[in-house]
Amino acid sequence: MFPALETELKQQTLPDPYEDFMYHHLQYYGYFKAERGSLPNSATHQHVWKNNHRYLLSGSFGETADLIPDPLQKEKRLWPTCLSSAVHRQIEAENRDSLMLNSPLLKSRQLLHDDLGEVNSRLREPRDLFAFFSSSGPLQAPRWPIECEVIKENIHHIEWVPPQPEYFYQPTGNEKVPEIVGEEKGTVVYQLDSVPSEDSYFTSSRVGGKRGIIKELAVTLQGPEDNTLLFESRFESGNLQKAVRVNTYEYELTLRTDLYTNKHTQWFYFRVQNTRKDVTYRFTIVNLLKPKSLYTIGMKPLMYSQLDASTHSIGWRREGDEIRYYRNNTEDGQQPFYCLTWTIQFPHDQDTCFFAHFYPYTYTDLQCFLLSVANSPVQSQFCKLRTLCRSLAGNTVYLLTITNPARTPQEAAAKKAVVLTARVHPGESNGSWIMKGFLDFILSNSPDAQLLRDIFIFKVVPMLNPDGVIVGNYRCSLAGRDLNRHYKTILKESFPCIWHTRNMIKRLLEEREVLLYCDFHGHSRKNNIFLYGCNNNDRKFWLHERVFPLMLSKNAPDKFSFHSCNFKVQKCKEGTGRVVMWRMGILNSYTMESTFGGSTLGNKRDTHFTPEDLKSLGYHVCDTLLDFCDPDRTKFMQCLAELKELLQQEIHKKFKELGQDMDLEGSWSDISLSDIESSTSGSDSSLSDGLPVHLLNTADELNQKKKMYKKKKRKPLQSRKQRNKQYQKSNLMQESKLTEDAPEGAGFASTLQKQPAFFKNSENTSSSMMKNEKPRLNELNGRDKGTSLGPSKMTTLILTKNKERMQREKPGFTVSCSPKRNTNPSQEPAPDTKPNWSRNRYPATKGGRTTAVVYPSLHIYTYP
């Protein structure tokens, strides 16, 4: 507006030292890539920094980073569907305020304004690079591996509850089994160019994925009469790799495997366009890997119509006919594939529809929910949102701490903890819906929710594997491995999400008792919802780990099946979160498995689960927690008695199957519970694949360093009394060497060999000895009498006390005089030993010393 003034100000204004430092800092870590000259000078900037003081410094969907002074406007561009009308009004108000001119004399963006626009001496709070977004801050755009192409469209679905129950498909036996044709006889209408396979590994990521122009992978329509479907899956959680048109209305689909692997195909999520009404289409997925599936017992795929959503507010619904799950006969000598085929009629012409294995819940959906919590003046008082760590691709792993403020420090210290996690397997989106139901209730103003916040501290990780969720994996992270088999990992940089989660729980156990740990999962072979736990061998708490699942089955009888629960700890599950947390000392450590299908119980028998059903289970978890911790132990004892009766029945059943009779009146409780339970293996992915090849050397090096550290670890400092005792003992050894040439040298040497036995006798005769403490040499050096024994007198005393014993010794018998070393210095339990449940909230440390709490340092990644 004023060119002359702008030229003069550019010549006179000096750069702000703080900003100059921050720009270099951000550039070094890869968070800011714009040219220094492209930044607006604070003296000529036309916005009022009182309202628009934050810049979004992150990669954009294009080639270079965008610099947008209004974070809410950036949110509007990226996620317009998750913002409320109040937020849009705030955007309009800030746009009107941005017309005001700023003072040309202001040289720093860090000074605050008062209402009149004058400079206030207060500085802004420091900007935390890794802080959670504030109520007015931007959402973090998802980061993708640089090999992935990503479309710029925003995919959003409405939530909808079907007015009628959606029943299972009833097979007729006449379902068609289509022959797999392949691209040799068909026409490829959609195919991803390059998919990272098992031979490659993750290197770097960026917002928007692959650089360059996004190619149009779908075929080009030849005109309005062309009825070819247009496929797309290059959006969050999508995973279609190829579509082949084998007939006019028939398509064969190939799913993309988990990135950097050659397997794990079960989850699917893709889009089709250019539909035709009243025409029967057939879709066949040709490369599924599991031999058994819920599709064989009535499960239907999910479909979403955008026209129905916009005009009738209808969301995801179960659709499909002639559903068949069968083995693919066109094998190429490798692992066998399985096919899923179904037919469908689209409701509208020229519609955009989506198909999915289950109701999607993406990383952006989570961020929109957390933004609403951060914007709530009530919920933000007792729900603190923090960054647990950054994932391998640099996406934020969020940690929620939910509890009411305590009135006194004693009240805060008395609170027990509950840890809940979800989406370690990214394709199991049903875990996110249960988590959302739990969060909706625990953050509400319900009296039960307030009571739970008063007595517990909830640590919640709502999405453990955001990278896998973003790219559409079914089971793995970008490391190409199942994270739920690597909870014992030492590779912090390769498995940051579970390493930091385990470390967080470890520190939590040092502070307080963790009453319950539960990891939310999905199950592809069984209906209903159930828990996997860990049998406890401590007779004091026998069957206690089964009380919570039994209570939950009573609170949700039409969804939760106690008979499907299992508490066997298998060797192949030692790396799971459930077993690792149990071995760390959490008695009630569970994996909650929720079906992709529906219920076979009560009023919901033979119907599919909806998101509302899963969210209601989150409420029932809270309700069961109150029953489980009720000071009136009536419910607890009733459940315990019922469990003993059920166990007796199960044991009788097992022996009857084996054709044996046994009287269980006296010793039935001594039978191992693991012997009467079946395997908890619910999928074909139970075994760990081990570490990727490129991480084997790293793991070996860390293990070697760990062993060297243990060898070089110095002994703890001793007290003065212990040092004096050790000094006197050393002097005694030196004197013994000087008397070896004496006439009685042989007897003296034998006496030294029997020195430990003498110390044992002196311990029994001395009243000043402490139990479990080594005897002191007071009676030898005469300290109690104020006299001192010389070396010769001490030698004579030792010979006198041991003369008869030495005469009885066999000739030639020798014993090393060096002090014995502890053969088990670690004092750690064996791998197959079950930990004892400790009731002490503050476990004592060795030697009475306080163990320093080691907090994890946040690893800073450099992103290209």
Side-chain angles (χ1 to χ4, degrees):
M1 296 175 64
F2 304 98
L5 177 61
E6 289 183 5
T7 304
E8 182 179 358
L9 288 174
K10 287 180 180 179
Q11 296 174 354
Q12 295 178 359
T13 304
L14 297 176
D16 183 5
Y18 177 84
E19 292 179 2
D20 190 62
F21 165 77
M22 287 303 297
Y23 292 141
H24 284 86
H25 184 79
L26 291 170
Q27 285 178 339
Y28 177 80
Y29 287 109
Y31 283 94
F32 180 70
K33 303 183 182 67
E35 296 295 332
R36 186 70 171 86
S38 66
L39 294 173
N41 192 284
S42 54
T44 58
H45 188 52
Q46 302 298 317
H47 288 72
V48 178
W49 288 100
K50 174 180 62 175
N51 294 323
N52 300 310
H53 61 276
R54 292 184 177 89
Y55 273 82
L56 180 63
L57 302 178
S58 64
S60 66
F61 288 107
E63 284 293 326
T64 60
D66 291 338
L67 185 61
I68 301 176
D70 189 351
L72 289 176
Q73 185 65 22
K74 180 69 175 178
E75 293 174 31
K76 186 177 179 181
R77 286 183 56 194
L78 297 181
W79 295 278
T81 54
C82 66
L83 300 178
S84 62
S85 58
V87 178
H88 286 290
R89 288 195 297 270
Q90 183 179 353
I91 294 174
E92 296 175 359
E94 292 194 3
N95 288 338
R96 289 194 300 268
D97 293 339
S98 66
L99 299 177
M100 299 172 59
L101 293 178
N102 194 12
S103 171
L105 300 178
L106 181 62
K107 298 182 180 181
S108 175
R109 298 194 185 105
Q110 306 309 314
L111 297 179
L112 298 177
H113 294 262
D114 58 18
D115 293 336
L116 300 178
E118 298 178 356
V119 176
N120 191 313
S121 58
R122 291 186 299 114
L123 291 175
R124 302 186 188 280
E125 293 183 2
R127 302 171 187 174
D128 188 354
L129 290 177
F130 295 98
F132 187 81
F133 48 78
S134 64
S135 58
S136 61
L139 295 175
Q140 180 195 12
R143 299 184 66 91
W144 296 70
I146 57 173
E147 301 96 335
C148 296
E149 289 188 346
V150 185
I151 62 174
K152 297 182 180 180
E153 299 178 46
N154 300 312
I155 308 298
H156 176 73
H157 306 298
I158 65 172
E159 291 188 33
W160 176 69
V161 180
Q164 300 295 329
E166 297 178 308
Y167 287 94
F168 292 159
Y169 172 73
Q170 299 298 326
T172 62
N174 299 322
E175 288 79 11
K176 179 183 176 182
V177 179
E179 181 183 356
I180 305 305
V181 175
E183 56 184 281
E184 291 80 8
K185 298 181 181 179
T187 303
V188 177
V189 295
Y190 176 85
Q191 185 171 9
L192 297 180
D193 288 341
S194 59
V195 177
S197 62
E198 188 181 23
D199 300 330
S200 58
Y201 56 89
F202 171 78
T203 56
S204 59
S205 66
R206 66 185 298 270
V207 174
K210 191 174 183 179
R211 298 179 183 272
I213 301 175
I214 303 299
K215 299 179 181 178
E216 187 65 41
L217 298 184
V219 296
T220 303
L221 298 179
Q222 302 301 319
E225 301 300 326
D226 191 345
N227 56 7
T228 304
L229 290 180
L230 304 178
F231 290 83
E232 185 58 81
S233 68
R234 292 173 296 173
F235 46 79
E236 271 194 83
S237 299
N239 70 333
L240 180 65
Q241 179 176 346
K242 182 171 65 174
V244 179
R245 188 182 190 185
V246 297
N247 208 331
T248 306
Y249 300 109
E250 188 172 347
Y251 295 85
E252 292 178 359
L253 310 177
T254 301
L255 303 182
R256 193 211 67 217
T257 60
D258 283 7
L259 293 187
Y260 311 108
T261 73
N262 62 349
K263 54 184 178 180
H264 304 303
T265 53
Q266 184 71 25
W267 164 264
F268 60 87
Y269 179 31
F270 58 90
R271 183 185 74 184
V272 294
Q273 293 177 309
N274 195 36
T275 62
R276 295 294 185 269
K277 184 181 178 181
D278 299 329
V279 175
T280 300
Y281 288 83
R282 176 176 291 275
F283 298 100
T284 303
I285 300 175
V286 299
N287 66 329
L288 298 172
L289 290 174
K290 293 192 175 183
K292 295 182 180 179
S293 173
L294 287 169
Y295 289 109
T296 61
I297 54 177
M299 178 175 160
K300 293 182 178 182
L302 281 163
M303 191 197 74
Y304 183 94
S305 167
Q306 282 195 351
L307 284 178
D308 280 342
S310 59
T311 57
H312 305 293
S313 298
I314 297 176
W316 288 98
R317 51 190 172 182
R318 299 282 180 172
E319 293 287 351
D321 199 7
E322 298 185 38
I323 301 172
R324 185 75 178 266
Y325 192 90
Y326 60 99
R327 182 165 178 167
N328 188 343
N329 294 323
T330 59
E331 299 178 10
D332 54 359
Q334 300 178 355
Q335 54 187 345
F337 290 119
Y338 296 85
C339 299
L340 169 65
T341 184
W342 74 95
T343 61
I344 196 168
Q345 291 188 353
F346 293 109
H348 305 285
D349 287 327
Q350 301 297 328
D351 194 5
T352 297
C353 294
F354 294 83
F355 289 96
H357 182 58
F358 200 74
Y359 300 92
Y361 193 94
T362 64
Y363 184 63
T364 300
D365 292 333
L366 173 66
Q367 291 201 102
C368 289
F369 173 77
L370 296 182
L371 180 62
S372 67
V373 174
N375 286 333
S376 172
V378 177
Q379 294 178 345
S380 59
Q381 296 299 314
F382 50 78
C383 178
K384 304 302 179 183
L385 293 83
R386 296 291 182 265
T387 298
L388 176 66
C389 65
R390 298 280 182 172
S391 66
L392 205 58
N395 293 297
T396 303
V397 180
Y398 297 107
L399 172 66
L400 285 69
T401 303
I402 304 171
T403 188
N404 283 339
R407 291 183 291 270
T408 62
Q410 293 77 12
E411 181 182 339
K415 288 187 176 183
K416 297 181 180 181
V418 174
V419 180
L420 302 176
T421 61
R423 295 302 285 277
V424 68
H425 291 156
E428 298 172 358
S429 58
N430 28 16
S432 284
W433 290 108
I434 296 179
M435 179 66 76
K436 188 175 187 302
F438 166 80
L439 292 174
D440 285 340
F441 179 78
I442 201 66
L443 297 176
S444 68
N445 58 358
S446 167
D448 286 348
Q450 295 178 15
L451 178 60
L452 285 170
R453 297 196 299 266
D454 285 335
I455 61 179
F456 290 115
I457 295 177
F458 293 92
K459 294 286 186 177
V460 180
V461 185
M463 193 169 285
L464 275 168
N465 189 356
D467 295 347
V469 174
I470 290 170
V471 302
N473 280 2
Y474 172 59
R475 201 169 184 90
C476 298
S477 70
L478 293 184
R481 291 298 181 269
D482 182 351
L483 293 183
N484 202 34
R485 298 296 181 271
H486 290 84
Y487 267 91
K488 297 192 293 185
T489 184
I490 60 175
L491 299 178
K492 176 181 176 181
E493 285 76 16
S494 300
F495 304 99
C497 308
I498 56 174
W499 190 95
H500 283 282
T501 300
R502 184 193 64 196
N503 201 51
M504 178 268 293
I505 297 175
K506 182 179 179 181
R507 290 188 285 112
L508 189 63
L509 283 167
E510 294 173 355
E511 300 172 2
R512 63 189 75 248
E513 177 185 339
V514 178
L515 179 69
L516 181 139
Y517 164 86
C518 190
D519 189 19
F520 297 151
H521 284 251
H523 207 283
S524 64
R525 292 172 51 189
K526 293 182 181 180
N527 279 311
N528 306 312
I529 303 172
F530 46 93
L531 286 174
Y532 289 150
C534 301
N535 281 321
N536 181 33
N537 292 335
D538 189 346
R539 311 309 298 176
K540 184 178 179 181
F541 304 106
W542 189 59
L543 298 180
H544 283 202
E545 73 280 353
R546 305 185 181 214
V547 174
F548 183 85
L550 183 60
M551 286 183 172
L552 187 55
S553 69
K554 295 180 180 297
N555 290 330
D558 56 349
K559 304 180 186 70
F560 190 90
S561 171
F562 178 76
H563 294 285
S564 297
C565 296
N566 201 299
F567 302 88
K568 187 174 183 178
V569 179
Q570 298 172 263
K571 186 176 181 180
C572 65
K573 301 296 181 69
E574 285 290 335
T576 62
R578 163 178 62 100
V579 178
V580 170
M581 303 311 162
W582 172 66
R583 295 203 182 278
M584 287 170 58
I586 304 177
L587 173 65
N588 302 295
S589 180
Y590 305 109
T591 297
M592 179 174 286
E593 298 281 356
S594 56
T595 181
F596 288 108
S599 173
T600 61
L601 306 171
N603 297 329
K604 289 190 172 294
R605 184 179 182 87
D606 296 335
T607 61
H608 289 90
F609 280 151
T610 66
E612 288 300 317
D613 292 325
L614 298 181
K615 288 194 289 185
S616 69
L617 194 82
Y619 155 74
H620 289 304
V621 169
C622 297
D623 191 28
T624 307
L625 267 176
L626 289 175
D627 292 336
F628 188 71
C629 300
D630 194 340
D632 183 3
R633 307 301 287 169
T634 303
K635 292 181 180 179
F636 188 94
M637 299 309 297
Q638 286 178 352
C639 289
L640 206 57
E642 185 177 344
L643 285 169
K644 293 179 180 178
E645 184 179 351
L646 289 173
L647 184 60
Q648 278 185 318
Q649 297 175 1
E650 188 66 23
I651 293 174
H652 278 294
K653 181 180 177 181
K654 287 290 182 182
F655 278 104
K656 188 175 181 179
E657 291 176 355
L658 296 175
Q660 300 177 3
D661 295 329
M662 182 177 181
D663 183 16
L664 302 177
E665 293 298 330
S667 60
W668 69 274
S669 60
D670 295 330
I671 298 176
S672 175
L673 299 179
S674 299
D675 295 336
I676 63 174
E677 287 188 302
S678 59
S679 168
T680 62
S681 177
S683 67
D684 304 311
S685 307
S686 298
L687 297 177
S688 173
D689 294 329
L691 289 175
V693 176
H694 67 282
L695 295 179
L696 292 177
N697 293 334
T698 306
D700 292 340
E701 291 175 2
L702 288 176
N703 285 324
Q704 291 295 332
K705 289 181 180 179
K706 195 173 181 180
K707 292 180 181 178
M708 294 297 296
Y709 175 76
K710 287 184 177 180
K711 290 181 180 179
K712 295 181 179 180
K713 189 175 182 181
R714 300 180 61 182
K715 295 182 179 180
L717 294 177
Q718 297 176 332
S719 64
R720 179 180 297 179
K721 196 174 296 183
Q722 291 172 326
R723 290 198 302 270
N724 290 340
K725 189 165 42 176
Q726 186 68 26
Y727 177 73
Q728 292 170 358
K729 191 174 181 180
S730 299
N731 286 341
L732 182 62
M733 296 297 178
Q734 292 177 0
E735 293 296 336
S736 67
K737 292 181 181 179
L738 296 176
T739 57
E740 285 181 355
D741 297 333
E744 63 272 19
F748 183 70
S750 301
T751 302
L752 288 180
Q753 295 172 0
K754 290 299 177 181
Q755 183 176 341
F758 164 71
F759 282 154
K760 186 174 182 180
N761 291 335
S762 65
E763 180 180 0
N764 296 331
T765 58
S766 177
S767 61
S768 62
M769 298 299 174
M770 296 292 294
K771 190 176 182 181
N772 299 328
E773 182 181 6
K774 292 182 179 180
R776 295 177 294 178
L777 299 178
N778 289 344
E779 64 178 36
L780 297 181
N781 59 25
R783 183 174 299 174
D784 294 338
K785 298 182 180 180
T787 60
S788 176
L789 294 177
S792 60
K793 292 183 179 182
M794 188 179 299
T795 303
T796 304
L797 179 61
I798 295 174
L799 288 171
T800 302
K801 286 183 176 294
N802 294 276
K803 183 176 181 180
E804 295 180 358
R805 183 183 300 113
M806 296 307 303
Q807 291 176 354
R808 292 194 299 269
E809 291 294 329
K810 296 180 180 180
F813 180 75
T814 58
V815 179
S816 174
C817 62
S818 60
K820 293 182 179 180
R821 292 186 179 183
N822 186 7
T823 58
N824 186 21
S826 63
Q827 300 295 330
E828 295 179 356
D832 55 348
T833 303
K834 307 296 186 298
N836 292 327
W837 176 249
S838 175
R839 302 295 292 177
N840 187 5
R841 186 176 292 107
Y842 306 98
T845 56
K846 293 183 180 180
R849 293 187 179 136
T850 304
T851 305
V853 180
V854 181
Y855 292 91
S857 58
L858 187 59
H859 186 77
I860 301 177
Y861 296 89
T862 302
Y863 305 111

